[in-house]
Amino acid sequence: MNGEGEAIEAAVPLPIESARAKSKNAIWMVLLAAFLGWMFDGLEMGIFPIIAKPALSTMLPGDLKAQAHWIGNITALFLIGAACGGLVFGWLGDRIGRVKSMMLSVMAYSCFTALGYFAQTPAQLGGLRFLAALGMGGEWSLGVALVMECWPENKRPLLAGLIGAASNVGFVSITAVSFIFKVTEASWRWVLLAGLSPALLTVLIQFFVPESEKWKESVQKSTARPLREIFSGKLLKATLFGILFASIALIGTWGSTQMIPPWIDTISGEKIAGGSADNKLYAQLCSSVGAILGCLVAPFLGEILNRRKGYFVLCLTSLISCQILFNYMGSFSGGQLAMVFLVGATTAAFYGWLPLYLPELFPTRVRATGQGVSFNSGRVLAAVGAITQSQLTGYFNNDYAKACSIITLVYVIGMVFIWFAPETKGKPLPE
C-alpha cells in the first residue's frame, strides 16, 4: 500500500507541471508573435524612406519640388492611416479579442504594402500607404496589450524594451537588404512586393498564440464600451496625457529624424570611401541600430528613476542631440554618422517607454483601445508635423536640417507637461 500511495502522490503533480509548461510555452508564443508583428511593422515603415526618391523620380521625373511635396504628403497619409488603424483595431481588440484582431491587422498591412507594386501615381502610392498603415497602427496596441496581460508584472520593463526595439530590428533588416539589393528606379517596386511576406505571421498567430485570459475575464464581467469610457470620467485625463506624450515622440520622429535619409541625399552625392552603398543607407542603419539600443534602455530608465523622470530625460537628450546634429553637422562624415546613431537612440527610446507607461493608464476592458487611441492619435499630430516639415523645407530652400531643428523643439513641451501626469511606477496594471 505504501508503494502504491507513493506512486499516486508522485503522479498527482504531473498534470500541474504539464499545465505550467504549457502556460510557459504559451506566453513565449505571445511574445514571439508580438515581437515579429512589430518587427515587420518596422520593416514596412522603413520601406518608404528607401524607395521614396526612386519611386517619385519615376512618377515625377525632374520635378524635385513636387517630389519633396509628395514625400511629406505620403508620410502624412501613412500617419493618419495608422491613427485610424489604432482606433479601429484597438476597438476590435477590446470587443472580439487581441489575437483575432492582431491577425487581421498583420494581413492588412502586408497586402496593402504589396499592392504598392502596381502604383502609377504619387496619389495611388499614398492611398495604398494609408491603407497599409491601418494595419500597422492596430498591431502595436494589440501586441502591447496582449504581452503585458499575459506575462508577469515584474517583467514589464524588459518586455517594453523588446517590443519597442522590435520595429527597429525591422528597420535594420530592410536597410541591410538595401545594401545587398540596390533600390533604384527600376527595382523599387519589388521592395514593396516583398512586403507581402509578413502575411505568413498570421498562421503563427492563428494556430499557436493564446488569447489573453485577463481580457476573457474582463468581458465576462461586463460589456466593454471602450471609446465611451476612455473619453469620459476618470479615464479622460489618462487618455489626453497618453495622446500628448505619444504625439511628442511621434512628431520628433516623423517630422525630423525620418527625414535624415533624404537630408543625407541632398548634402552628399558621393559614396563612402571604399563602400558601394548610398550614404543614406549608412545613415539609416546607424539610426536604426541606435534606436534598438535606446528602446531597450528606456523602460529600465523609467523603472530605475520613475516614469516621469524617465520621460523628462528622454526629451532632454533628444532635444540636445537633434539640435547638435541639424545645426552643427551639415556635412557627411564619420562624426555625423556617430551623431545620427545618438539621435536614433534618444528619439526612438520613447518607443520603449510608451509600451511600459500606456498599459498602466487603462483597465483591461479598454486597454487596447486606450493604447491605440493614445499612440495613434499622436500620429495625426505627427502628420501635421510631416506636412509642416515639408513646408518648412520649401521655405528654407530645401534645407532639411533647418526645418528639422525647428520641429524638434517639440521636446520642450514634453519636458514641461510630464510633471502633471500620473506616476505609475510600482503599481499593478489596472483591472
Side-chain angles (χ1 to χ4, degrees):
M1 287 294 292
N2 289 341
E4 291 179 4
E6 289 173 2
I8 293 172
E9 288 177 5
V12 170
L14 289 179
I16 298 175
E17 293 300 323
S18 177
R20 286 175 179 171
K22 184 177 179 181
S23 176
K24 187 175 181 179
N25 291 336
I27 64 174
W28 279 105
M29 292 305 299
V30 165
L31 180 59
L32 178 63
F35 183 91
L36 290 176
W38 194 226
M39 184 193 77
F40 283 125
D41 259 13
L43 186 147
E44 303 213 12
M45 284 188 283
I47 285 176
F48 184 69
I50 292 174
I51 70 153
K53 280 292 204 181
L56 293 172
S57 293
T58 62
M59 296 174 180
L60 301 166
D63 194 342
L64 297 179
K65 186 175 181 180
Q67 291 173 24
H69 172 76
W70 273 104
I71 287 175
N73 283 351
I74 292 173
T75 300
L77 283 169
F78 175 88
L79 290 165
I80 293 170
C84 295
L87 177 61
V88 171
F89 284 101
W91 180 85
L92 276 176
D94 286 327
R95 295 305 298 264
I96 68 172
R98 286 41 168 143
V99 174
K100 290 179 182 177
S101 302
M102 188 189 300
M103 184 177 65
L104 292 172
S105 70
V106 173
M107 185 63 71
Y109 73 64
S110 301
C111 293
F112 287 118
T113 295
L115 286 172
Y117 175 91
F118 301 102
Q120 299 298 316
T121 67
Q124 290 175 1
L125 183 60
L128 289 168
R129 291 303 287 164
F130 171 87
L131 293 172
L134 292 174
M136 295 183 199
E139 203 283 333
W140 186 89
S141 62
L142 296 167
V144 171
L146 186 61
V147 169
M148 294 303 178
E149 289 168 4
C150 291
W151 275 75
E153 301 213 358
N154 63 345
K155 303 294 184 184
R156 288 210 304 261
L158 175 61
L159 297 170
L162 289 172
I163 294 172
S167 66
N168 294 294
V169 172
F171 265 94
V172 170
S173 300
I174 189 63
T175 305
V177 169
S178 299
F179 275 110
I180 301 169
F181 303 102
K182 186 174 175 60
V183 180
T184 65
E185 293 181 15
S187 65
W188 65 268
R189 293 181 185 276
W190 293 102
V191 178
L192 289 171
L193 193 61
L196 189 61
S197 56
L200 297 174
L201 179 60
T202 60
V203 178
L204 170 70
I205 295 172
Q206 174 70 29
F207 292 105
F208 299 106
V209 179
E211 185 54 83
S212 165
E213 292 298 328
K214 286 188 176 181
W215 174 79
K216 289 181 181 179
E217 293 172 5
S218 176
V219 295
Q220 286 176 355
K221 293 176 182 177
S222 63
T223 302
R225 294 179 175 83
L227 284 176
R228 181 186 302 177
E229 286 195 57
I230 66 171
F231 284 111
S232 62
K234 294 184 294 184
L235 291 181
L236 177 59
K237 181 180 178 181
T239 303
L240 294 178
F241 275 124
I243 291 172
L244 175 63
F245 299 142
S247 298
I248 289 165
L250 287 156
I251 289 171
T253 299
W254 290 95
S256 58
T257 54
Q258 280 290 316
M259 295 297 110
I260 288 177
W263 174 48
I264 296 293
D265 256 354
T266 64
I267 64 177
S268 178
E270 77 275 6
K271 312 294 183 186
I272 291 181
S276 60
D278 290 336
N279 294 345
K280 68 180 178 182
L281 294 181
Y282 284 94
Q284 182 156 321
L285 182 62
C286 288
S287 177
S288 299
V289 172
I292 293 173
L293 177 63
C295 287
L296 291 172
V297 170
F300 288 100
L301 187 66
E303 186 70 10
I304 293 169
L305 301 175
N306 61 37
R307 309 306 191 242
R308 292 190 294 194
K309 290 179 182 177
Y311 190 85
F312 179 87
V313 170
L314 296 183
C315 286
L316 179 62
T317 54
S318 296
L319 176 66
I320 293 172
S321 60
C322 286
Q323 293 303 310
I324 291 173
L325 174 64
F326 294 123
N327 286 313
Y328 301 104
M329 309 197 77
S331 59
F332 188 79
S333 65
Q336 186 192 54
L337 287 179
M339 185 53 67
V340 168
F341 172 87
L342 182 60
V343 165
T346 55
T347 59
F350 294 95
Y351 306 117
W353 183 89
L354 288 166
L356 177 67
Y357 187 65
L358 292 182
E360 298 172 341
L361 296 180
F362 301 100
T364 302
R365 65 185 179 277
V366 298
R367 183 167 292 124
T369 303
Q371 290 176 165
V373 168
S374 296
F375 189 79
N376 293 295
S377 293
R379 282 177 159 150
V380 174
L381 295 177
V384 176
I387 294 172
T388 302
Q389 196 276 348
S390 177
Q391 294 172 340
L392 284 172
T393 301
Y395 180 79
F396 291 117
N397 297 318
N398 290 328
D399 188 341
Y400 282 92
K402 186 68 175 177
C404 290
S405 68
I406 292 173
I407 289 175
T408 51
L409 294 175
V410 71
Y411 293 118
V412 174
I413 299 174
M415 292 166 63
V416 173
F417 280 92
I418 188 60
W419 302 111
F420 300 95
E423 178 53 61
T424 56
K425 178 184 174 181
K427 298 179 181 179
L429 289 179
E431 294 297 333

